[in-house]
Amino acid sequence: IAGGVLFTGISTSEISMERINSYDAEKVGIPVSFYYGTLFMGWVSLLAFATAIVQSIIHRKRLLDHSWWLIASLFYMMMPALGRGMIVLARATVPEEYLSPMIPLIGAELVYVGFFMLFAIKFGKVKHLATWIGLSMVILRFLRFPIGSIEGVQNFFHQVIK
């Protein structure tokens, strides 16, 4: 199943590239760097997910470590769906003239960190590597705009995803 998740995640990169290629700089809205940054974070999430699955296999005889790696792997991959849900919620509750992409982004991160840390505390895994990976991903997601504006990142995705 984990392989299917990875291959599905990789295949969705084409959708992001279609959005990037159809981007209209004249149109007011989210800058193209957001889409590149989101694509970058998608790949980081896939890498974190794959790492968590491999670690869960390596630690399969230590039940708490095994289970925490598997729980963390779910959190690594939940952000796109949680982010889309927060966008729907923001559009339904925030007037159009006040709607900023940062509102659902920050809202989703607050929900993510809250639940992730709740589970980490419940399982006694606050200092576990899987927890630090998950929290590091929050920092990277907040940097999606600057990461997405790096020309090298943009060129990489244009070369890899065709």
Side-chain angles (χ1 to χ4, degrees):
I1 293 174
V5 171
L6 290 171
F7 286 119
T8 301
I10 292 169
S11 70
T12 60
S13 298
E14 292 178 17
I15 297 169
S16 297
M17 284 306 291
E18 287 174 8
R19 285 190 181 141
I20 288 167
N21 292 333
S22 67
Y23 181 76
D24 183 8
E26 302 287 323
K27 186 178 174 187
V28 176
I30 298 173
V32 73
S33 61
F34 172 81
Y35 297 110
Y36 282 112
T38 301
L39 186 57
F40 174 81
M41 276 314 303
W43 283 42
V44 169
S45 296
L46 289 172
L47 181 61
F49 176 81
T51 301
I53 296 301
V54 169
Q55 289 296 323
S56 75
I57 293 168
I58 290 170
H59 299 293
R60 68 186 175 276
K61 303 226 185 223
R62 295 195 323 242
L63 186 60
L64 281 178
D65 279 338
H66 171 75
S67 62
W68 183 242
W69 277 109
L70 289 175
I71 291 167
S73 74
L74 297 173
F75 277 93
Y76 299 162
M77 296 304 291
M78 80 176 343
M79 208 50 200
L82 181 59
R84 283 190 290 275
M86 293 304 285
I87 289 169
V88 169
L89 180 64
R91 285 184 176 161
T93 58
V94 178
E96 184 81 28
E97 60 271 9
Y98 299 113
L99 190 59
S100 162
M102 294 307 287
I103 292 171
L105 181 100
I106 291 170
E109 293 300 344
L110 289 173
V111 170
Y112 174 90
V113 170
F115 278 111
F116 193 53
M117 290 310 296
L118 177 74
F119 276 86
I121 291 167
K122 179 178 173 24
F123 282 90
K125 297 295 183 181
V126 174
K127 295 182 180 178
H128 195 277
L129 178 61
T131 306
W132 289 107
I133 291 172
L135 294 176
S136 298
M137 290 174 61
V138 172
I139 295 167
L140 281 175
R141 282 192 294 267
F142 275 117
L143 295 173
R144 80 178 63 208
F145 285 100
I147 289 171
S149 19
I150 298 171
E151 190 174 331
V153 170
Q154 296 175 4
N155 291 337
F156 171 79
F157 284 120
H158 280 288
Q159 293 298 317
V160 173
I161 305 168
K162 295 183 180 190

